Amino acid sequence: MDFAARVERVEPSATVAVSNLASQLEADGVDVVDLSVGEPDFPTPEPIVEAGKDAMDAGHTGYTPSNGIPALRQAIADKLAADGLDYAPEEIVVTPGGKQSLYEIFQTLLDDGDEVVLLDPAWVSYEAMAKLAGANLSRVDLAQYDFQLEPGLDDLADAVDDDTELLVVNSPSNPTGAVFSDAALEGVRDLAVEHDVTVVSDEIYKEITYGTEATSLGTLDGMAERTITVNGFSKAYSMTGWRLGYYAASEELVEQSGKLHSHSVTCATNFVQHAGVTALEEVEAEIDEMAEAFEERRDFLIEAFAERGVEVPEPDGAFYMMLPVDEEDQAWCEEAIEEAHVAMVPGSAFGTPGYARISYAASLDRLEEAVDRLDDAGCL
Ligand code: PMP
Ligand code: GLU
């Protein structure tokens, strides 16, 4: 069969691939500590589950307006307003997962040969989505600055020019957990304004921070009109399998991307959208509890690695950290899964070799087990 060049130029998602491998080993009876995929290990909060069931019982099982039910778009507009972002419900598109939001944005804005700038290490799917749209990538290495953006602003200035179409900012970051400072975001703003660049601000981990807050890029002077804000319910509300996300952008963009949306997914699942309203309007304490649990796990890991002589840059948010390993990180991760039965994703999948990404969305017991196993197998 003759496949389209656009699919042949991308690789399958490395995060999903490692997780599949871990599941396969488990199916063979191996006890794997799976620290690969970025998925909270908590159940979806009860009020959300109840709202989903109630919505099904109430017959909310048909198509909805393509861009989302009015109640959810209003609840999202209210949430964004609380974060200092001014979007009308008409400027919001509800999608099956944040991934679909990003996919629609990339497809809507990028032509063949357009230039996209990523801050490395960057989440695996940005590269694939840019390539699927035919764009070229320019990557800025933040590993040399302990994953912080502020010291890397000069490098970013070298990468961004008048030909740059899109810049992607993800704070808190997957895979590093870094939360970019306001000064860093102001640096992004200055470059975006100077070179008239559109910026995607992927804020899917915004609710998960430790003793700090992640500023929404669109709140900065001059950024409202050039920022597309992406968020979703997977991480903050532990709703990965529900598939619910959204983006907020100018009505002009939504008019164009809405075509892709209606011709591909039609709409996000009806009763899931109703559950999303409950999540935004009624669930708060549970988010904080989950964030506190992640913080405790982060502290445990940082200390456990330090005790074994491994210094890991301390994340301020999300539930990831980058463990420094061999430059041959792929081989290191293969050995870790085969010898220690601990699954992690090689940093090279995120554009930064020499690291293994740990998703610490696992219980403290399992994390302790993981560190012991890695130590015993001589991986550390
Ligand atoms: N952005 C980032 C940075 C992510 O890590 C993820 C996780 N898959 C997503 C977007 C999309 O998540 P989802 O499609 O589950 O909303
Ligand atoms: N975002 C999560 C991760 O990076 C989930 C898997 C994916 O969609 O890539 O592991």
Side-chain angles (χ1 to χ4, degrees):
M1 215 176 278
D2 198 12
F3 296 110
R6 88 178 77 82
V7 289
E8 288 195 314
R9 62 181 168 244
V10 299
E11 298 295 326
S13 166
T15 49
V16 177
V18 179
S19 160
N20 289 347
L21 180 61
S23 304
Q24 198 181 324
L25 279 172
E26 295 222 292
D28 294 344
V30 180
D31 172 45
V32 179
V33 184
D34 188 359
L35 308 182
S36 63
V37 79
E39 175 162 46
D41 55 320
F42 303 101
T44 303
E46 198 51 37
I48 303 174
V49 176
E50 287 306 317
K53 288 184 195 167
D54 290 349
M56 264 192 266
D57 287 341
H60 295 301
T61 54
Y63 293 131
T64 73
S66 184
N67 290 353
I69 57 172
L72 181 56
R73 282 188 287 151
Q74 184 61 56
I76 291 168
D78 293 345
K79 180 251 185 282
L80 294 174
D83 291 341
L85 295 164
D86 184 19
Y87 290 106
E90 297 71 39
E91 295 173 317
I92 292 162
V93 181
V94 177
T95 54
K99 234 179 210 179
Q100 175 71 17
S101 288
L102 290 157
Y103 188 77
E104 290 179 11
I105 294 161
F106 279 55
Q107 287 291 324
T108 300
L109 290 175
L110 300 172
D111 276 317
D112 271 349
D114 279 349
E115 192 191 297
V116 176
V117 175
L118 297 184
L119 301 169
D120 275 349
W123 176 49
V124 290
S125 293
Y126 300 140
E127 173 181 342
M129 289 181 193
K131 285 186 178 168
L132 284 166
N136 296 326
L137 286 161
S138 171
R139 316 187 68 134
V140 178
D141 174 27
L142 299 183
Q144 56 186 318
Y145 306 116
D146 269 357
F147 309 125
Q148 291 303 319
L149 174 56
E150 207 178 321
L153 282 174
D154 285 343
D155 302 70
L156 181 60
D158 290 340
V160 173
D161 59 28
D162 290 349
D163 291 330
T164 306
E165 194 65 31
L166 200 65
L167 165 65
V168 182
V169 176
N170 172 218
S171 171
S173 153
N174 176 6
T176 69
V179 176
F180 297 147
S181 67
D182 285 355
L185 297 181
E186 282 159 17
V188 168
R189 184 265 318 278
D190 294 347
L191 288 168
V193 170
E194 182 186 344
H195 298 289
D196 193 19
V197 174
T198 301
V199 185
V200 171
S201 182
D202 181 346
E203 303 184 0
I204 197 150
Y205 297 100
K206 182 176 165 67
E207 269 61 52
I208 307 170
T209 52
Y210 317 129
T212 184
E213 298 239 321
T215 301
S216 289
L217 194 59
T219 59
L220 271 60
D221 272 354
M223 286 309 285
E225 61 272 28
R226 64 180 66 256
T227 304
I228 303 167
T229 306
V230 176
N231 207 327
F233 294 74
S234 286
K235 316 294 172 167
Y237 297 99
S238 196
M239 289 177 70
T240 45
W242 296 69
R243 310 309 301 132
L244 192 64
Y246 57 88
Y247 57 99
S250 65
E251 239 182 302
E252 192 189 2
L253 185 142
V254 165
E255 203 179 309
Q256 295 301 323
S257 62
K259 293 187 248 175
L260 269 168
H261 187 71
S262 66
H263 283 303
S264 53
V265 297
T266 306
C267 60
T269 305
N270 192 337
F271 47 87
V272 169
Q273 294 188 54
H274 286 271
V277 176
T278 299
L280 288 174
E281 291 182 348
E282 290 172 37
V283 174
E284 208 172 321
E286 290 91 334
I287 301 185
D288 296 341
E289 280 164 25
M290 288 190 260
E292 275 166 31
F294 289 135
E295 184 171 3
E296 198 184 345
R297 296 161 182 193
R298 172 202 65 170
D299 292 346
F300 165 77
L301 280 179
I302 295 280
E303 206 179 309
F305 286 126
E307 278 167 10
R308 290 162 176 82
V310 185
E311 294 299 324
V312 181
E314 188 168 310
D316 287 319
F319 38 73
Y320 306 106
M321 61 175 64
M322 291 287 264
L323 177 70
V325 299
D326 288 358
E327 199 55 23
E328 295 298 325
D329 56 351
Q330 187 100 25
W332 188 92
C333 284
E334 274 165 27
E335 195 184 315
I337 195 164
E338 277 159 21
E339 305 292 325
H341 299 151
V342 179
M344 289 159 286
V345 184
S348 46
F350 306 91
T352 309
Y355 294 89
R357 185 195 74 172
I358 292 179
S359 166
Y360 50 91
S363 69
L364 279 173
D365 282 352
R366 294 302 275 169
L367 294 176
E368 200 172 340
E369 175 75 25
V371 177
D372 286 345
R373 286 188 192 183
L374 289 172
D375 203 3
D376 293 347
C379 294
L380 295 178

